[in-house]
Each structure stands twice: as C-alpha cells, then as structure tokens.
C-alpha cells in the first residue's frame, strides 16, 4: 500500500471516528431529541406512577411538543386528546370543567393526558404495551383484540396488532422512549446509574420514586 493510500485510509478512519464521537455526545443527542416541559412531565409522572420518559415519548409522537396542534380527527393539544375522551377524563378524575377550554395549555394537557395514561395502565393490569396501544386506538379496541386473541399484548407479537397505525405508533413510542431515557436519564434522575440494557427496556410502572427504575 502506497504512502498516500495509507494516509487516505487513515484520514477516512479518523473522520469516521470523529463523526461517531460527535453523534454519540449528549449535546448532539439533545439537539436531535429536544425535551420540553420537563418540570410538568416529572411532576405528573410522580403523581400518576408513570415513567417520565414514556410521557415524553408519547408527547413527541403525538405533537412533537407543539401545544396548539390539532389533528384532522379533532385531537387537541400537546398530548392530542380527543374532545370526548378529555370530557370523560375531566369528569372521572374530578378535574375542573374549565380545563376543557384550556387544553391548549401544556401544563393542563400534560396532566390530563398523564392521568389517562396511568388509568390505561391500570385497566390493562400493568401491561404497558397495551396501555400505549390503548392511548392510540382506544381501550375498547385493544381489549377486544386481546380477548379475541388477535393480539396477546406483548411487544414480540405487536406485528399482530390489527391497526397498522397503532402498530407503528407503539414502535415509535418505544423508539423515542429509548432515546429520551438514554439522553436525559442523568438529568432527570441525577442519582441514578444507567446500564445499556436498562436504557433499551420498556419502562415498568408503579413507583412514585423514579430512581427505582434504574436501581
């Protein structure tokens, strides 16, 4: 191998290393995957026994943190709540009825959506995948799939989910969950240690102390 060819190969390897180092840095990660409304997310995660990174992932998929977003189906706000669903949540959770006219406010929308996510988790007996699918397709549809055997509620068999949109939704939420947990774990949970396996696992629910997720 000639001197110049060796030099060219070395330059390519060095450039590849620099690019990999650049993209693996926390700073770049936060640029590619920004996370807003951290305090609201942490507060509601603690209040309703939800992993904060799961709330963040759902917000990213639903609205990309745009508080004034409205879908063609009528879902509104940062967590994209349907009017009928929001009305039922407000009544069931005994929130102020005035909130129905304030769903454009992130702090209100996040609280209503987080309560609903926690409720879904309980409805599906702790099955986080079914809860996430239910957030997209509705709990009635997901319960029907599971009762009929169309889907067993596991991630491994998520390809059996009858709705392509819901199947893709679950995959996207899991993708962003992993990203947020890997990038922001130390910031959200400064006293926690994070292994590679834990960063790639879907979250457990049911702990007011989120540091237990990383023990």
């Amino acid at each position: 191998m000639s001197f110049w060819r060796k030099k060219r190969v070395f330059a390519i390897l060095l450039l590849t290393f620099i690019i990999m180092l650049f993209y693996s840095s926390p700073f770049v990660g936060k640029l590619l995957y920004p996370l807003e409304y951290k305090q609201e997310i942490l507060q509601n995660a603690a209040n309703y026994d939800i992993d904060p990174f799961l709330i963040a992932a759902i917000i990213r998929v639903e609205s990309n943190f745009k508080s004034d977003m409205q879908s063609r189906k009528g879902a509104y706000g940062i967590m994209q709540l349907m009017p009928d669903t929001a009305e039922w949540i407000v009544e069931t959770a005994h929130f102020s009825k005035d909130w129905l006219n304030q769903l454009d406010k992130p702090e209100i929308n996040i609280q209503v959506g987080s309560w609903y996510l926690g409720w879904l988790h309980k409805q599906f007996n702790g099955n986080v995948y079914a809860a996430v699918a239910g957030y997209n397709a509705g709990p009635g549809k997901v319960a029907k799939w599971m009762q009929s055997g169309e889907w067993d509620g596991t991630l491994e068999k998520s390809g059996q989910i009858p709705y392509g949109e819901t199947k893709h939704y679950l995959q996207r939420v899991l993708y962003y969950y992993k990203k947020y947990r890997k990038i922001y774990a130390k910031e959200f949970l400064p006293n926690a240690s994070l292994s590679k396996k834990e960063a790639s696992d879907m979250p457990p629910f049911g702990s007011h102390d989120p540091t237990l997720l990383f023990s």
Side-chain angles (χ1 to χ4, degrees), residues 22-23 25-35 60 183-184:
F22 177 77
Y23 277 102
S25 72
F27 174 75
V28 175
K30 290 180 181 181
L31 284 178
L32 295 174
Y33 302 96
L35 203 163
R60 174 66 184 251
I183 296 168
Y184 293 95

Side-chain angles (χ1 to χ4, degrees), residues 71 101 157 190 214:
S71 74
N101 299 317
K157 297 292 182 65
F214 301 88

Side-chain angles (χ1 to χ4, degrees), residues 64-120:
N64 198 17
F65 294 91
K66 297 175 182 175
S67 61
D68 59 349
M69 182 171 236
Q70 185 168 4
S71 74
R72 287 175 292 181
K73 294 181 180 179
Y76 196 74
I78 197 168
M79 292 191 75
Q80 288 292 278
L81 298 164
M82 292 294 289
D84 289 348
T85 303
E87 189 173 347
W88 176 83
I89 294 169
V90 165
E91 182 179 350
T92 306
H94 305 293
F95 293 139
S96 170
K97 290 184 178 181
D98 292 339
W99 283 14
L100 293 173
N101 299 317
Q102 301 178 57
L103 292 175
D104 58 325
K105 294 182 177 179
E107 65 274 17
I108 289 177
N109 203 289
I110 291 173
Q111 183 167 352
V112 174
S114 297
W115 182 94
Y116 183 48
L117 185 58
W119 179 87
L120 286 168

Side-chain angles (χ1 to χ4, degrees), residues 7-26:
K7 199 168 184 180
R8 188 161 55 247
V9 170
F10 176 77
I12 292 172
L13 290 173
L14 181 61
L15 181 61
T16 302
F17 174 76
I18 292 172
I19 291 173
M20 290 177 64
L21 192 65
F22 177 77
Y23 277 102
S24 64
S25 72

